């Protein structure tokens, strides 16, 4: 094996040691039928690719289509390979690298949002501080008792990470995150 070629985390040794990994958001339009998600995930796990975020939902009921949004990390050549392999799966209609498309449109990243439910258990003055900080982050109270709050927060993943970090010392008890939903700006669809 050539000394300059190193494993990239995938089963294929295609990237040079100096190739930097990048985070990319892929949008995959698929038939809404049993087993499709398992096949897509199987492609990633079978080749040693990691999925950082995964969301899926039916988007066109009449056409029986679902949209899978995947955030993954790799070198540019590995990301191209992932996209090409996804396109070969039979129930896949279209694969769009939203990160690449955003750059083509002169933007840094696609529009990415995530929803989280965050449970905080606190008493006394900590409750007032919890509410004050939640308000600063525009988090909605969706459930409350004298012992806890459950907040709903929507935004970039970094905003949710920051909110979680601030809530830890105030009695953070539980977190449930949806994963990233993403779309490119402009009038052109997928």
């Amino acid at each position: 094996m050539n000394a300059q070629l190193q494993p990239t985390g995938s089963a294929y040794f295609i990237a040079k040691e100096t190739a930097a990994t990048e985070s990319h958001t892929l949008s995959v339009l698929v038939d809404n039928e049993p087993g499709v998600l398992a096949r897509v995930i199987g492609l990633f796990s079978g080749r040693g690719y990691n999925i950082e975020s995964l969301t899926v939902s039916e988007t066109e009921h009449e056409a029986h289509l679902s949209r899978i949004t995947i955030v993954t990390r790799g070198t540019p050549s590995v990301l191209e390979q992932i996209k090409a392999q996804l396109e070969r799966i039979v129930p896949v209609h279209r694969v769009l690298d939203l990160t690449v498309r955003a750059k083509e449109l002169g933007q840094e990243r696609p529009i990415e949002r995530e929803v989280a439910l965050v449970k905080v258990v606190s008493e006394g003055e900590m409750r007032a501080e919890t509410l004050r900080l939640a308000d600063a982050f525009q988090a909605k109270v969706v459930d409350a008792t004298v012992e806890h709050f459950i907040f709903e927060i929507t935004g970039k993943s970094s905003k949710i990470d920051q909110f979680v970090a601030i809530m830890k010392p105030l009695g953070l008890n539980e977190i449930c995150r949806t994963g990233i939903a993403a779309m490119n700006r402009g009038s052109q669809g997928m």
Side-chain angles (χ1 to χ4, degrees):
M1 183 166 89
N2 185 333
Q4 291 183 340
L5 296 180
Q6 298 293 321
T8 62
S10 76
Y12 303 104
F13 307 118
I14 60 172
K16 290 186 178 181
E17 183 178 281
T18 58
T21 62
E22 304 172 352
S23 178
H24 279 236
T25 304
L26 306 175
S27 188
V28 186
L29 192 62
V30 299
D31 287 336
N32 184 16
E33 59 184 43
V36 174
L37 182 59
R39 291 178 69 187
V40 169
I41 292 170
L43 181 144
F44 280 80
S45 64
R47 289 162 178 80
Y49 305 138
N50 188 40
I51 295 174
E52 295 179 2
S53 175
L54 173 74
T55 59
V56 61
S57 181
E58 184 176 59
T59 56
E60 296 181 43
H61 184 68
E62 295 79 25
H64 301 288
L65 294 176
S66 289
R67 184 172 176 153
I68 302 172
T69 305
I70 302 167
V71 178
T72 192
R73 180 172 287 282
T75 62
S77 58
V78 166
L79 293 165
E80 268 306 309
Q81 183 181 37
I82 290 170
K83 185 177 177 239
Q85 290 173 348
L86 283 170
E87 288 171 337
R88 285 197 292 266
I89 297 175
V90 171
V92 171
H93 292 275
R94 180 133 195 250
V95 180
L96 181 62
D97 187 330
L98 295 174
T99 306
V100 169
R101 182 73 181 121
K103 288 178 184 173
E104 291 170 356
L105 295 170
Q107 301 151 8
E108 189 175 324
R109 301 264 326 153
I111 301 289
E112 297 178 341
R113 293 296 182 266
E114 187 175 3
V115 177
L117 296 175
V118 179
K119 185 184 291 184
V120 180
V121 177
S122 58
E123 298 176 346
E125 287 184 29
M126 297 296 254
R127 287 180 63 78
E129 182 67 2
T130 300
L131 280 175
R132 187 186 70 74
L133 288 168
D135 186 53
F137 277 84
Q138 299 176 338
K140 280 184 9 182
V141 175
V142 293
D143 187 53
T145 68
V146 294
E147 299 171 335
H148 81 279
F149 294 107
I150 297 178
F151 298 103
E152 175 188 311
I153 183 167
T154 304
K156 292 181 179 181
S157 294
S158 58
K159 174 186 175 182
I160 294 172
D161 292 340
Q162 189 178 18
F163 182 71
V164 167
I166 286 174
M167 289 296 148
K168 275 186 181 172
L170 298 174
L172 179 70
N173 182 271
E174 187 177 356
I175 306 164
C176 180
R177 296 174 77 153
T178 61
I180 293 172
M183 188 177 283
N184 281 120
R185 296 179 191 271
S187 59
Q188 186 178 10
M190 191 174 155

